[in-house]
Amino acid sequence: MTVTRFAPSPNGPLHWGHAYSAIVAHDLARAEGGRFLLRIEDIDGPRSRPELAEEFRKDLAWLGLEWDEVPAQGTRLARYEEALDKLNALGVLYPCTCTRAEIAAAASETGPEGPIYPGTCRHREVRPDAPAALRMDLSKALAITGLLSWHDEIAGEQAVDPAGLGDPVLRRKDLPASYHLAVTVDDAADGVTLVTRGLDLFHATPVHRVLQALLGLPVPRWHHHPLLLDHEGRKLAKRRGSPALADHREAGEDGRAWAARLRRGEWPIGILLGKLHI
């Protein structure tokens, strides 16, 4: 059975980019008689606003989507700790006290997520009481896993290439898990077989594939869809104040009609479909 998911973070209202992503996931699952899941990713510390989860449900219903809801990330902290313990036992984790400014100053390369971490703390002693993130030593991890690949439904077979990745953060200084760790553990726990998301996360998939191999988790297929962009060619984002679905919903507009337009490739004014990797 094909199982997809839509996993928004309640740190701002949903916009048209979220609508498109949810519709893609919903329709791919329904086309194969599968399940479409909703998972609230609510471990973003003080940025998380619990009341937004109900707004998300209203938005999805307004679009005419039906889903099965699975437990939110906030209920899964023990799973993340268990995964970190396994990775630590494999010897692939190390603490990192570097700030973003220090990484930017020390980095000699830039990747999809910005300056590539140069491994400053990889062989450095870190005080036990110092606030520290946990990073995965990617070289050590790949030495354990060997060559890996993953399949994208649009782009085809992909080899895991460590170039441009650096050593990814798996637990942040202020949060129990990074996106990389949480989404990998959650998708396995929820039985997701087809991970649908925007092209802006294409570069993250090799990290997730390595984690799956290290933790002995099932390997799904991926479907990285094009992004909705604003009139300046930037992806829609909460932090840029992209138009909220709730504004259209509360204005009495027909959400099902909007969903039909998105399926036909008719985008709201000022929005276009792009293949931007950022």
Side-chain angles (χ1 to χ4, degrees):
M1 177 185 291
T2 295
V3 180
T4 65
R5 49 76 171 162
F6 177 59
S9 299
N11 53 21
L14 299 186
H15 51 62
W16 289 114
H18 293 114
Y20 181 65
S21 191
I23 289 168
V24 169
H26 174 274
D27 290 0
L28 286 172
R30 291 293 185 258
E32 299 184 13
R35 299 176 66 209
F36 169 60
L37 309 180
L38 171 64
R39 183 175 70 231
I40 304 298
E41 299 195 338
D42 60 348
I43 58 169
D44 201 10
R47 296 180 62 207
S48 286
R49 296 158 54 191
E51 70 277 7
L52 284 179
E54 182 56 29
E55 293 298 302
F56 294 172
R57 298 181 189 102
K58 291 178 181 178
D59 288 338
L60 295 181
W62 177 71
L63 292 167
L65 307 184
E66 297 179 353
W67 66 90
D68 296 321
E69 188 156 354
V70 293
Q73 282 186 335
T75 68
R76 304 176 185 231
L77 303 188
R79 287 182 182 269
Y80 307 146
E81 280 301 316
E82 180 182 354
L84 288 169
D85 287 344
K86 289 181 179 178
L87 295 170
N88 192 49
L90 291 172
V92 298
L93 297 184
Y94 65 90
C96 173
T97 59
C98 296
T99 65
R100 290 186 181 181
E102 289 170 340
I103 294 171
S108 59
E109 299 179 81
T110 300
E113 294 185 343
I116 296 175
Y117 182 68
T120 307
C121 291
R122 193 181 297 131
H123 305 294
R124 186 168 71 178
E125 289 292 327
V126 173
R127 294 194 335 265
D129 61 338
L134 283 179
R135 289 185 180 272
M136 177 170 64
D137 187 321
L138 196 57
S139 294
K140 283 187 177 180
L142 289 172
I144 294 172
T145 66
L147 297 176
L148 296 171
S149 64
W150 53 281
H151 182 78
D152 183 85
E153 298 288 271
I154 297 175
E157 201 71 11
Q158 304 289 316
V160 170
D161 182 357
L165 296 178
D167 288 347
V169 171
L170 299 187
R171 188 184 71 195
R172 288 170 47 179
K173 294 177 184 178
D174 56 341
L175 298 178
S178 71
Y179 169 76
H180 294 305
L181 180 69
V183 75
T184 303
V185 171
D186 292 345
D187 284 345
D190 294 334
V192 174
T193 65
L194 178 61
V195 176
T196 63
R197 56 192 180 199
L199 273 172
D200 55 328
L201 290 169
F202 193 93
H203 67 275
T205 307
V207 175
H208 304 171
R209 182 67 189 88
V210 172
L211 286 171
Q212 289 158 357
L214 292 173
L215 295 170
L217 301 178
V219 181
R221 297 168 292 139
W222 282 266
H223 178 107
H224 290 89
H225 59 73
L227 303 173
L228 295 193
L229 309 177
D230 64 19
H231 64 285
E232 296 181 4
R234 304 174 303 177
K235 71 172 183 175
L236 303 185
K238 296 172 184 176
R239 66 182 181 277
R240 298 194 185 105
S242 296
L245 298 183
D247 293 341
H248 297 269
R249 171 169 53 81
E250 292 170 0
E253 297 179 25
D254 188 335
R256 290 174 182 265
W258 269 116
R261 293 186 192 114
L262 291 175
R263 290 183 173 102
R264 292 195 299 266
E266 299 173 9
W267 318 115
I269 292 175
I271 295 175
L272 55 96
L273 188 69
K275 294 186 178 180
L276 185 65
H277 287 256
I278 50 178

